[in-house]
Amino acid sequence: MAAGPVGATMERFIVGAQKSTNQLKAVLAKLLPAAGGARAGAGSSAGAVDALLSDITDSLSQALTSLRLGALNTQPPPGQSSICGGGGGRSAPRRYGQRARTDGECRMIVLQNEVQDSYTWRKYGQKEILGARFPRSYFKCGRKPAGCPARKHVQQSDADPSKLEITYLNGHTCDDDSPPPSSSSHIVPDPRIISSGTQRNTAVLVPVATTVPSSQPCIGQPPSPPLHSVPDMMTTGALLPTSAVVPAALSSTQYDPVPDDTASTPSMGEEEAELLLFIPSPACSQSELLHTEVAKVEPLGPPVWMEHDDACVAISDFMVVPEV
DNA sequence: GCAATTTGACCTAT
DNA sequence: ATAGGTCAAATTGC
């Protein structure tokens, strides 16, 4: 789940800090009711508390995201060795070892997505891309029998390291007789397909908010000016229609954000459009994120539509009530 | 021994 | 010539 034992330890600390912050927030919400909402007055003490808590939770969330995304970058900075170890390589210095395995020593940060996809992926390459801060990883379908032409390229976004840009190439031929099992108990569906071609789909994975492609009309209403930004939300999450993505640390061979490649263009079917997704705000701890399917949510109001990265984003405040 | 990953080398397109 | 994409040897965990 993290880049090595040290990363796992750091992650636990961060998650613990997030939980403590949430608890503090709950306590303060009782003492200072106005602090419990993002609409608190900017100049009030409650507003200041609100802002500080948001900063803390936001920073913790980003730290956690960065820590986990660090596992994706096995390429060490010049002069440094990789946390994940050297791995393979024909003529590389003989520092092989500590490969990423399912025991969580070195894993990619990708998506919690088990809705429609049971594909497995095998990494076959990594390349430094000109002008990009992060290397691009190359994966091919790992299903057996081999021969499935499906591939994907994973690139961590320069602009926002918390995002992964995944390009899908070719459709799966391995699932003709074994459609991916659906998992109704999981909330997170496929990543958004921002652009598409005959053979290439690019999904930009947005961990905090759910985006609807700009080419798609916002459901129910046109985009409205943001009433509040995502980081300012004092709620614990958002309910969103249509597809969304949530980051989670999964084994590179277990995760899979790949949509059904049989459709090169994303379809907004009725079933898909009715999906309500839980996208935790930075105030949410990772443990909450990973178990949202068993948590109860209490909506606090109608969704708010806003634009984000040329996409229409719906934000709806609600409180998460952990299931006992 | 098999499976999975890493990464330098090689191939191809521009 | 250069950059992106893929191959495959090398290595380790299970």
Side-chain angles (χ1 to χ4, degrees), chain A residues 32-52 54 227-228 232 234:
Chain A
L32 300 170
R39 300 149 201 81
S44 66
S45 60
V49 171
D50 178 1
L52 286 172
S54 293
L227 299 184
H228 52 268
D232 289 339
M234 287 298 292

Side-chain angles (χ1 to χ4, degrees), chain A residues 11 20-21 36 43 46 90 106 111 120 128 130 157 213 222 249 280 287 306 322:
Chain A
E11 183 179 317
S20 297
T21 304
R90 277 174 291 184
C106 182
L111 304 176
T120 58
E128 294 286 348
L130 194 69
S157 174
S287 59
M306 56 184 288

Side-chain angles (χ1 to χ4, degrees), chain A residues 57-130:
Chain A
T57 54
D58 196 22
S59 296
L60 288 172
S61 179
Q62 291 184 26
L64 190 60
T65 298
S66 297
L67 174 64
R68 289 174 167 168
L69 283 172
L72 177 64
N73 304 316
T74 57
Q75 198 81 342
Q80 294 184 13
S81 61
S82 170
I83 294 175
C84 297
R90 277 174 291 184
S91 56
R94 295 296 176 260
R95 291 185 299 102
Y96 305 107
Q98 297 183 4
R99 61 185 176 136
R101 294 302 299 264
T102 56
D103 57 8
E105 275 211 338
C106 182
R107 292 179 177 172
M108 293 178 56
I109 292 301
V110 283
L111 304 176
Q112 181 181 6
N113 186 326
E114 304 170 38
V115 175
Q116 295 184 344
D117 205 299
S118 63
Y119 298 122
T120 58
W121 296 91
R122 172 174 294 190
K123 186 175 183 178
Y124 65 88
Q126 178 171 300
K127 189 82 172 183
E128 294 286 348
I129 301 302
L130 194 69

Side-chain angles (χ1 to χ4, degrees), chain A residues 228 233 235 237-240 279 299-304 314-319:
Chain A
H228 52 268
M233 290 197 307
T235 54
L239 278 175
L240 303 154
I279 309 299
L300 298 179
V304 173
I315 304 294
S316 179
D317 296 351
F318 65 90
M319 293 294 291

Side-chain angles (χ1 to χ4, degrees), chain A residues 310-324:
Chain A
D310 295 331
C312 188
V313 180
I315 304 294
S316 179
D317 296 351
F318 65 90
M319 293 294 291
V320 174
V321 182
E323 197 169 70
V324 292

Side-chain angles (χ1 to χ4, degrees), chain A residues 6 13 44 103 124 130 153 187 195-196 212 235 267 278 285 295 297:
Chain A
V6 175
F13 285 136
S44 66
D103 57 8
Y124 65 88
L130 194 69
H153 302 169
I187 305 177
S195 63
S196 63
V212 177
T235 54
S267 62
F278 171 62
S285 70
V297 294

